[in-house]
Amino acid sequence: QVHGSSPVHVHLTSDMLAHTHARCGASDSEAAIVLLHGFLGDRRDVEPLRQKLGALADCISLDLPGHGDSAWMPTIDAGTSAVDAALATLEALCPPPARLLLVGYSMGGRVALQLAARLPPPRLAGLVILSGSPGLDDGALREARLSRDVALAARLRAMTPPHFDEWLRREWYRAALWGGRLQEHPSFERMLLRRTDGAQPRDRAASLERESVGRQPSCWPWLEAPPAPVLYVAGEEDEAYCKVATRLAEHSGVAEPVERRLVRVAVLPAAGHALLLEASAPVAEICHAFASQVLPPPLVPASPPLSEGVRIQARGPEGVDALSARLLPFRLPLTAPLPLARGPPVTERAGVLLLVEGMAADGRAVRGLGEVCPLPGFHSESLDEAAAQLRSVAHRLQGALLPFAVARLDGSMSAWLAAACDRPSKSASGPLLPSVRCALEMACLHLLAQAANTSIAQLVCCARRAPYQSHVRINGLLARGEASSLEAAADAARAAVDSARPSSRACASGPAVKHAAARMRTWKVKVGGGEPAFAGP
């Protein structure tokens, strides 16, 4: 409860799929490239491809339902198809009349193909299918495929994380379509880590049933006369999808020059089904060349569509010349005592909310919220000291112009705060305390985001020309004892794996050690240590 104020409601969920949105140039782009991953993957799989294509147009990479960050979204219903969810997300992120180049790998290729068939022809700039199925013509084959996928989904639901890891190694990635050398690839273990860390096999099972090729309508008739250019790519060691490539090539008008064919086909040597891993560079080059032909030239990069800044003004009760920054104390009791590394357990969190009010360029009143909440025993300052300094600094913000440039987070914020806090005041407070600086930065960024009618994340990404992530890995707070037990389990797993003794190797393959290692990997992902961060904030 915030004393003396109305309840504050925070919207934490979205109907859109988790995504990365990288701006190419001007804010109102004429086209966007949409990247869709395959079964068991997530948008990290297509990140190298996004970086290659990012100079041509805005790039949007999605986590399909049941995968990546979309697997944790309560607003994505379990029965929602990937096509429906992707279409709704794209309508929100890149509405008409912008044209879309759809690029999908494997399951993502099937989703992209079905999206292309549902989009109005003016919206479709082109389609790239990387080892994806156009569907099955024969009803009996569709029934048989659906039965196999339902049976596999039942197995997945019964798997623990260690069993899931073992199944991937011993069965899934030993299938014929992957070729014979996938597990020898230097990036295989890194890819496998993306498949297992934090993953719930039941989510993948639901996706497998929902997106089964047996449920997919045949898109072969659409491919006979597509309204936009299509590129199909397969690996020569992937026999099933090489057959698809051959069938498409036979009906693509071989007498026409390549650049005039509506359906173009490429078969890459020394690669199986894992095109994004085994042939990442050739795939990127082929997609770049195709996109360059079907997309309009990118617009000249423009500055973020923002005015000069926000004027911080007085806006107080009864017309008094009050300050624009208000302090609202709060006290939040914890549901259970929280033991920390030092000091007594914490039973409540007490702090002060900083509410900064200003005026946007269009005359709207906007507000930004920050928080001062030093943790006893960890911050050098007390709450009383922080609140006193914040009260002093608030006097100096009156009438200041907060520029949008501070959102670049390149030192501009520190310079602006230093200048603002050096303004004349009746009380001196010395250098900013860490918790006070945090509150000021939070409130300033929130204020600017409100003025720009966007989120803080989008504001910063726009200012820095960096890819916007709808979801990011966050740091977590582990209570005393949790971290040490997880680290001990990980140390035991590593010691067993590293040992050269046969008995230790046997131990390393046991379910208990694998479960401990899986717990540690999951913990690392949850606190941001399991996978390198994307480019940008």
Side-chain angles (χ1 to χ4, degrees), residues 80-110:
T80 303
S81 74
V83 178
D84 290 337
L87 187 60
T89 302
L90 294 176
E91 288 296 306
L93 292 177
C94 194
R99 306 187 71 204
L100 302 176
L101 169 59
L102 306 175
V103 182
Y105 162 69
S106 194
M107 181 186 76
R110 295 191 284 110

PDB file of all heavy atoms in Angstrom, residues 80-110:
ATOM      1  N   THR A  80      -4.189 -22.209 -29.007  1.00  0.00           N
ATOM      2  CA  THR A  80      -3.942 -21.235 -30.067  1.00  0.00           C
ATOM      3  C   THR A  80      -2.876 -21.759 -31.017  1.00  0.00           C
ATOM      4  O   THR A  80      -1.789 -22.127 -30.593  1.00  0.00           O
ATOM      5  CB  THR A  80      -3.478 -19.889 -29.476  1.00  0.00           C
ATOM      6  OG1 THR A  80      -4.462 -19.427 -28.558  1.00  0.00           O
ATOM      7  CG2 THR A  80      -3.280 -18.862 -30.570  1.00  0.00           C
ATOM      8  N   SER A  81      -3.179 -21.785 -32.298  1.00  0.00           N
ATOM      9  CA  SER A  81      -2.204 -22.269 -33.270  1.00  0.00           C
ATOM     10  C   SER A  81      -1.088 -21.256 -33.450  1.00  0.00           C
ATOM     11  O   SER A  81      -1.267 -20.052 -33.213  1.00  0.00           O
ATOM     12  CB  SER A  81      -2.870 -22.547 -34.614  1.00  0.00           C
ATOM     13  OG  SER A  81      -3.182 -21.323 -35.269  1.00  0.00           O
ATOM     14  N   ALA A  82       0.067 -21.739 -33.869  1.00  0.00           N
ATOM     15  CA  ALA A  82       1.199 -20.853 -34.101  1.00  0.00           C
ATOM     16  C   ALA A  82       0.884 -19.849 -35.200  1.00  0.00           C
ATOM     17  O   ALA A  82       1.325 -18.693 -35.142  1.00  0.00           O
ATOM     18  CB  ALA A  82       2.437 -21.681 -34.474  1.00  0.00           C
ATOM     19  N   VAL A  83       0.119 -20.265 -36.201  1.00  0.00           N
ATOM     20  CA  VAL A  83      -0.232 -19.360 -37.302  1.00  0.00           C
ATOM     21  C   VAL A  83      -1.096 -18.210 -36.794  1.00  0.00           C
ATOM     22  O   VAL A  83      -0.844 -17.045 -37.096  1.00  0.00           O
ATOM     23  CB  VAL A  83      -0.944 -20.134 -38.428  1.00  0.00           C
ATOM     24  CG1 VAL A  83      -1.358 -19.179 -39.545  1.00  0.00           C
ATOM     25  CG2 VAL A  83      -0.041 -21.230 -38.981  1.00  0.00           C
ATOM     26  N   ASP A  84      -2.111 -18.536 -35.995  1.00  0.00           N
ATOM     27  CA  ASP A  84      -2.990 -17.490 -35.463  1.00  0.00           C
ATOM     28  C   ASP A  84      -2.227 -16.532 -34.554  1.00  0.00           C
ATOM     29  O   ASP A  84      -2.397 -15.310 -34.622  1.00  0.00           O
ATOM     30  CB  ASP A  84      -4.158 -18.116 -34.698  1.00  0.00           C
ATOM     31  CG  ASP A  84      -5.143 -18.826 -35.608  1.00  0.00           C
ATOM     32  OD1 ASP A  84      -5.186 -18.489 -36.809  1.00  0.00           O
ATOM     33  OD2 ASP A  84      -5.858 -19.726 -35.128  1.00  0.00           O
ATOM     34  N   ALA A  85      -1.390 -17.091 -33.674  1.00  0.00           N
ATOM     35  CA  ALA A  85      -0.645 -16.252 -32.734  1.00  0.00           C
ATOM     36  C   ALA A  85       0.355 -15.369 -33.463  1.00  0.00           C
ATOM     37  O   ALA A  85       0.513 -14.185 -33.136  1.00  0.00           O
ATOM     38  CB  ALA A  85       0.076 -17.126 -31.710  1.00  0.00           C
ATOM     39  N   ALA A  86       1.041 -15.929 -34.463  1.00  0.00           N
ATOM     40  CA  ALA A  86       2.014 -15.142 -35.219  1.00  0.00           C
ATOM     41  C   ALA A  86       1.322 -14.047 -36.024  1.00  0.00           C
ATOM     42  O   ALA A  86       1.807 -12.909 -36.101  1.00  0.00           O
ATOM     43  CB  ALA A  86       2.824 -16.056 -36.137  1.00  0.00           C
ATOM     44  N   LEU A  87       0.190 -14.368 -36.618  1.00  0.00           N
ATOM     45  CA  LEU A  87      -0.529 -13.384 -37.417  1.00  0.00           C
ATOM     46  C   LEU A  87      -0.992 -12.213 -36.554  1.00  0.00           C
ATOM     47  O   LEU A  87      -0.846 -11.041 -36.940  1.00  0.00           O
ATOM     48  CB  LEU A  87      -1.727 -14.049 -38.100  1.00  0.00           C
ATOM     49  CG  LEU A  87      -2.496 -13.193 -39.109  1.00  0.00           C
ATOM     50  CD1 LEU A  87      -1.590 -12.742 -40.242  1.00  0.00           C
ATOM     51  CD2 LEU A  87      -3.693 -13.972 -39.659  1.00  0.00           C
ATOM     52  N   ALA A  88      -1.517 -12.500 -35.365  1.00  0.00           N
ATOM     53  CA  ALA A  88      -1.963 -11.435 -34.469  1.00  0.00           C
ATOM     54  C   ALA A  88      -0.798 -10.570 -34.023  1.00  0.00           C
ATOM     55  O   ALA A  88      -0.914  -9.343 -33.927  1.00  0.00           O
ATOM     56  CB  ALA A  88      -2.671 -12.039 -33.256  1.00  0.00           C
ATOM     57  N   THR A  89       0.340 -11.192 -33.753  1.00  0.00           N
ATOM     58  CA  THR A  89       1.519 -10.446 -33.320  1.00  0.00           C
ATOM     59  C   THR A  89       2.026  -9.537 -34.424  1.00  0.00           C
ATOM     60  O   THR A  89       2.370  -8.369 -34.193  1.00  0.00           O
ATOM     61  CB  THR A  89       2.634 -11.413 -32.881  1.00  0.00           C
ATOM     62  OG1 THR A  89       2.149 -12.247 -31.819  1.00  0.00           O
ATOM     63  CG2 THR A  89       3.864 -10.652 -32.404  1.00  0.00           C
ATOM     64  N   LEU A  90       2.071 -10.046 -35.639  1.00  0.00           N
ATOM     65  CA  LEU A  90       2.572  -9.246 -36.758  1.00  0.00           C
ATOM     66  C   LEU A  90       1.631  -8.102 -37.095  1.00  0.00           C
ATOM     67  O   LEU A  90       2.085  -7.023 -37.500  1.00  0.00           O
ATOM     68  CB  LEU A  90       2.785 -10.145 -37.981  1.00  0.00           C
ATOM     69  CG  LEU A  90       3.885 -11.200 -37.832  1.00  0.00           C
ATOM     70  CD1 LEU A  90       3.935 -12.100 -39.060  1.00  0.00           C
ATOM     71  CD2 LEU A  90       5.234 -10.543 -37.599  1.00  0.00           C
ATOM     72  N   GLU A  91       0.327  -8.313 -36.945  1.00  0.00           N
ATOM     73  CA  GLU A  91      -0.611  -7.229 -37.197  1.00  0.00           C
ATOM     74  C   GLU A  91      -0.386  -6.083 -36.212  1.00  0.00           C
ATOM     75  O   GLU A  91      -0.587  -4.916 -36.544  1.00  0.00           O
ATOM     76  CB  GLU A  91      -2.049  -7.744 -37.095  1.00  0.00           C
ATOM     77  CG  GLU A  91      -2.471  -8.638 -38.248  1.00  0.00           C
ATOM     78  CD  GLU A  91      -2.478  -7.900 -39.586  1.00  0.00           C
ATOM     79  OE1 GLU A  91      -3.122  -6.846 -39.695  1.00  0.00           O
ATOM     80  OE2 GLU A  91      -1.820  -8.389 -40.530  1.00  0.00           O
ATOM     81  N   ALA A  92       0.028  -6.422 -34.991  1.00  0.00           N
ATOM     82  CA  ALA A  92       0.275  -5.390 -33.985  1.00  0.00           C
ATOM     83  C   ALA A  92       1.627  -4.716 -34.181  1.00  0.00           C
ATOM     84  O   ALA A  92       1.760  -3.503 -34.024  1.00  0.00           O
ATOM     85  CB  ALA A  92       0.189  -6.001 -32.581  1.00  0.00           C
ATOM     86  N   LEU A  93       2.651  -5.505 -34.510  1.00  0.00           N
ATOM     87  CA  LEU A  93       4.007  -4.963 -34.629  1.00  0.00           C
ATOM     88  C   LEU A  93       4.257  -4.276 -35.962  1.00  0.00           C
ATOM     89  O   LEU A  93       5.006  -3.296 -36.040  1.00  0.00           O
ATOM     90  CB  LEU A  93       5.031  -6.089 -34.449  1.00  0.00           C
ATOM     91  CG  LEU A  93       5.143  -6.722 -33.070  1.00  0.00           C
ATOM     92  CD1 LEU A  93       6.153  -7.862 -33.106  1.00  0.00           C
ATOM     93  CD2 LEU A  93       5.552  -5.688 -32.027  1.00  0.00           C
ATOM     94  N   CYS A  94       3.649  -4.801 -37.008  1.00  0.00           N
ATOM     95  CA  CYS A  94       3.937  -4.286 -38.355  1.00  0.00           C
ATOM     96  C   CYS A  94       2.641  -4.256 -39.159  1.00  0.00           C
ATOM     97  O   CYS A  94       2.434  -5.078 -40.063  1.00  0.00           O
ATOM     98  CB  CYS A  94       4.976  -5.184 -39.020  1.00  0.00           C
ATOM     99  SG  CYS A  94       5.735  -4.491 -40.485  1.00  0.00           S
ATOM    100  N   PRO A  95       1.750  -3.328 -38.841  1.00  0.00           N
ATOM    101  CA  PRO A  95       0.434  -3.302 -39.487  1.00  0.00           C
ATOM    102  C   PRO A  95       0.523  -2.884 -40.950  1.00  0.00           C
ATOM    103  O   PRO A  95       1.537  -2.344 -41.392  1.00  0.00           O
ATOM    104  CB  PRO A  95      -0.328  -2.270 -38.648  1.00  0.00           C
ATOM    105  CG  PRO A  95       0.733  -1.371 -38.096  1.00  0.00           C
ATOM    106  CD  PRO A  95       1.926  -2.246 -37.848  1.00  0.00           C
ATOM    107  N   PRO A  96      -0.535  -3.146 -41.704  1.00  0.00           N
ATOM    108  CA  PRO A  96      -0.572  -2.701 -43.100  1.00  0.00           C
ATOM    109  C   PRO A  96      -0.396  -1.195 -43.173  1.00  0.00           C
ATOM    110  O   PRO A  96      -0.703  -0.476 -42.223  1.00  0.00           O
ATOM    111  CB  PRO A  96      -1.984  -3.128 -43.552  1.00  0.00           C
ATOM    112  CG  PRO A  96      -2.398  -4.197 -42.590  1.00  0.00           C
ATOM    113  CD  PRO A  96      -1.746  -3.846 -41.297  1.00  0.00           C
ATOM    114  N   PRO A  97       0.174  -0.703 -44.261  1.00  0.00           N
ATOM    115  CA  PRO A  97       0.444  -1.398 -45.531  1.00  0.00           C
ATOM    116  C   PRO A  97       1.851  -1.996 -45.623  1.00  0.00           C
ATOM    117  O   PRO A  97       2.288  -2.348 -46.724  1.00  0.00           O
ATOM    118  CB  PRO A  97       0.281  -0.281 -46.548  1.00  0.00           C
ATOM    119  CG  PRO A  97       0.775   0.939 -45.823  1.00  0.00           C
ATOM    120  CD  PRO A  97       0.359   0.771 -44.398  1.00  0.00           C
ATOM    121  N   ALA A  98       2.583  -2.073 -44.521  1.00  0.00           N
ATOM    122  CA  ALA A  98       3.941  -2.618 -44.588  1.00  0.00           C
ATOM    123  C   ALA A  98       3.918  -4.036 -45.159  1.00  0.00           C
ATOM    124  O   ALA A  98       3.032  -4.837 -44.841  1.00  0.00           O
ATOM    125  CB  ALA A  98       4.570  -2.628 -43.202  1.00  0.00           C
ATOM    126  N   ARG A  99       4.903  -4.335 -45.998  1.00  0.00           N
ATOM    127  CA  ARG A  99       4.988  -5.654 -46.624  1.00  0.00           C
ATOM    128  C   ARG A  99       5.909  -6.548 -45.805  1.00  0.00           C
ATOM    129  O   ARG A  99       6.843  -6.077 -45.140  1.00  0.00           O
ATOM    130  CB  ARG A  99       5.490  -5.526 -48.057  1.00  0.00           C
ATOM    131  CG  ARG A  99       4.672  -4.547 -48.904  1.00  0.00           C
ATOM    132  CD  ARG A  99       5.114  -4.592 -50.344  1.00  0.00           C
ATOM    133  NE  ARG A  99       4.710  -5.839 -50.977  1.00  0.00           N
ATOM    134  CZ  ARG A  99       5.314  -6.368 -52.050  1.00  0.00           C
ATOM    135  NH1 ARG A  99       6.373  -5.759 -52.577  1.00  0.00           N
ATOM    136  NH2 ARG A  99       4.880  -7.484 -52.587  1.00  0.00           N
ATOM    137  N   LEU A 100       5.654  -7.861 -45.854  1.00  0.00           N
ATOM    138  CA  LEU A 100       6.371  -8.818 -45.017  1.00  0.00           C
ATOM    139  C   LEU A 100       7.110  -9.836 -45.872  1.00  0.00           C
ATOM    140  O   LEU A 100       6.540 -10.402 -46.813  1.00  0.00           O
ATOM    141  CB  LEU A 100       5.393  -9.553 -44.095  1.00  0.00           C
ATOM    142  CG  LEU A 100       4.554  -8.684 -43.149  1.00  0.00           C
ATOM    143  CD1 LEU A 100       3.577  -9.551 -42.373  1.00  0.00           C
ATOM    144  CD2 LEU A 100       5.447  -7.895 -42.209  1.00  0.00           C
ATOM    145  N   LEU A 101       8.368 -10.055 -45.544  1.00  0.00           N
ATOM    146  CA  LEU A 101       9.135 -11.177 -46.083  1.00  0.00           C
ATOM    147  C   LEU A 101       9.210 -12.213 -44.974  1.00  0.00           C
ATOM    148  O   LEU A 101       9.812 -11.971 -43.920  1.00  0.00           O
ATOM    149  CB  LEU A 101      10.529 -10.737 -46.507  1.00  0.00           C
ATOM    150  CG  LEU A 101      11.521 -11.870 -46.849  1.00  0.00           C
ATOM    151  CD1 LEU A 101      10.991 -12.737 -47.991  1.00  0.00           C
ATOM    152  CD2 LEU A 101      12.891 -11.312 -47.187  1.00  0.00           C
ATOM    153  N   LEU A 102       8.592 -13.367 -45.176  1.00  0.00           N
ATOM    154  CA  LEU A 102       8.529 -14.413 -44.164  1.00  0.00           C
ATOM    155  C   LEU A 102       9.659 -15.413 -44.385  1.00  0.00           C
ATOM    156  O   LEU A 102       9.833 -15.932 -45.493  1.00  0.00           O
ATOM    157  CB  LEU A 102       7.180 -15.131 -44.235  1.00  0.00           C
ATOM    158  CG  LEU A 102       5.938 -14.231 -44.144  1.00  0.00           C
ATOM    159  CD1 LEU A 102       4.672 -15.057 -44.351  1.00  0.00           C
ATOM    160  CD2 LEU A 102       5.898 -13.513 -42.810  1.00  0.00           C
ATOM    161  N   VAL A 103      10.417 -15.688 -43.323  1.00  0.00           N
ATOM    162  CA  VAL A 103      11.523 -16.642 -43.380  1.00  0.00           C
ATOM    163  C   VAL A 103      11.328 -17.637 -42.247  1.00  0.00           C
ATOM    164  O   VAL A 103      11.326 -17.251 -41.068  1.00  0.00           O
ATOM    165  CB  VAL A 103      12.887 -15.944 -43.235  1.00  0.00           C
ATOM    166  CG1 VAL A 103      14.020 -16.966 -43.351  1.00  0.00           C
ATOM    167  CG2 VAL A 103      13.053 -14.838 -44.266  1.00  0.00           C
ATOM    168  N   GLY A 104      11.141 -18.915 -42.573  1.00  0.00           N
ATOM    169  CA  GLY A 104      10.898 -19.912 -41.538  1.00  0.00           C
ATOM    170  C   GLY A 104      11.727 -21.154 -41.731  1.00  0.00           C
ATOM    171  O   GLY A 104      11.940 -21.604 -42.861  1.00  0.00           O
ATOM    172  N   TYR A 105      12.181 -21.718 -40.605  1.00  0.00           N
ATOM    173  CA  TYR A 105      12.971 -22.953 -40.636  1.00  0.00           C
ATOM    174  C   TYR A 105      12.145 -24.110 -40.080  1.00  0.00           C
ATOM    175  O   TYR A 105      11.560 -23.998 -38.995  1.00  0.00           O
ATOM    176  CB  TYR A 105      14.248 -22.779 -39.813  1.00  0.00           C
ATOM    177  CG  TYR A 105      14.901 -24.101 -39.442  1.00  0.00           C
ATOM    178  CD1 TYR A 105      15.507 -24.893 -40.421  1.00  0.00           C
ATOM    179  CD2 TYR A 105      14.889 -24.568 -38.132  1.00  0.00           C
ATOM    180  CE1 TYR A 105      16.076 -26.115 -40.104  1.00  0.00           C
ATOM    181  CE2 TYR A 105      15.466 -25.782 -37.799  1.00  0.00           C
ATOM    182  CZ  TYR A 105      16.051 -26.560 -38.785  1.00  0.00           C
ATOM    183  OH  TYR A 105      16.614 -27.770 -38.472  1.00  0.00           O
ATOM    184  N   SER A 106      12.078 -25.219 -40.826  1.00  0.00           N
ATOM    185  CA  SER A 106      11.420 -26.450 -40.401  1.00  0.00           C
ATOM    186  C   SER A 106       9.974 -26.153 -39.998  1.00  0.00           C
ATOM    187  O   SER A 106       9.181 -25.707 -40.825  1.00  0.00           O
ATOM    188  CB  SER A 106      12.214 -27.101 -39.275  1.00  0.00           C
ATOM    189  OG  SER A 106      11.796 -28.431 -39.062  1.00  0.00           O
ATOM    190  N   MET A 107       9.601 -26.363 -38.721  1.00  0.00           N
ATOM    191  CA  MET A 107       8.244 -26.037 -38.302  1.00  0.00           C
ATOM    192  C   MET A 107       7.926 -24.572 -38.578  1.00  0.00           C
ATOM    193  O   MET A 107       6.816 -24.225 -38.994  1.00  0.00           O
ATOM    194  CB  MET A 107       8.065 -26.333 -36.812  1.00  0.00           C
ATOM    195  CG  MET A 107       6.667 -26.036 -36.287  1.00  0.00           C
ATOM    196  SD  MET A 107       6.503 -26.222 -34.485  1.00  0.00           S
ATOM    197  CE  MET A 107       7.322 -24.714 -33.936  1.00  0.00           C
ATOM    198  N   GLY A 108       8.912 -23.692 -38.364  1.00  0.00           N
ATOM    199  CA  GLY A 108       8.722 -22.279 -38.671  1.00  0.00           C
ATOM    200  C   GLY A 108       8.494 -22.045 -40.149  1.00  0.00           C
ATOM    201  O   GLY A 108       7.788 -21.105 -40.535  1.00  0.00           O
ATOM    202  N   GLY A 109       9.083 -22.890 -40.999  1.00  0.00           N
ATOM    203  CA  GLY A 109       8.835 -22.796 -42.432  1.00  0.00           C
ATOM    204  C   GLY A 109       7.399 -23.152 -42.769  1.00  0.00           C
ATOM    205  O   GLY A 109       6.772 -22.525 -43.641  1.00  0.00           O
ATOM    206  N   ARG A 110       6.863 -24.157 -42.087  1.00  0.00           N
ATOM    207  CA  ARG A 110       5.452 -24.521 -42.308  1.00  0.00           C
ATOM    208  C   ARG A 110       4.523 -23.409 -41.842  1.00  0.00           C
ATOM    209  O   ARG A 110       3.524 -23.102 -42.492  1.00  0.00           O
ATOM    210  CB  ARG A 110       5.139 -25.834 -41.583  1.00  0.00           C
ATOM    211  CG  ARG A 110       5.890 -27.032 -42.139  1.00  0.00           C
ATOM    212  CD  ARG A 110       5.367 -28.337 -41.600  1.00  0.00           C
ATOM    213  NE  ARG A 110       5.774 -28.611 -40.226  1.00  0.00           N
ATOM    214  CZ  ARG A 110       4.959 -28.600 -39.174  1.00  0.00           C
ATOM    215  NH1 ARG A 110       3.683 -28.296 -39.339  1.00  0.00           N
ATOM    216  NH2 ARG A 110       5.409 -28.882 -37.977  1.00  0.00           N
TER     217      ARG A 110
END
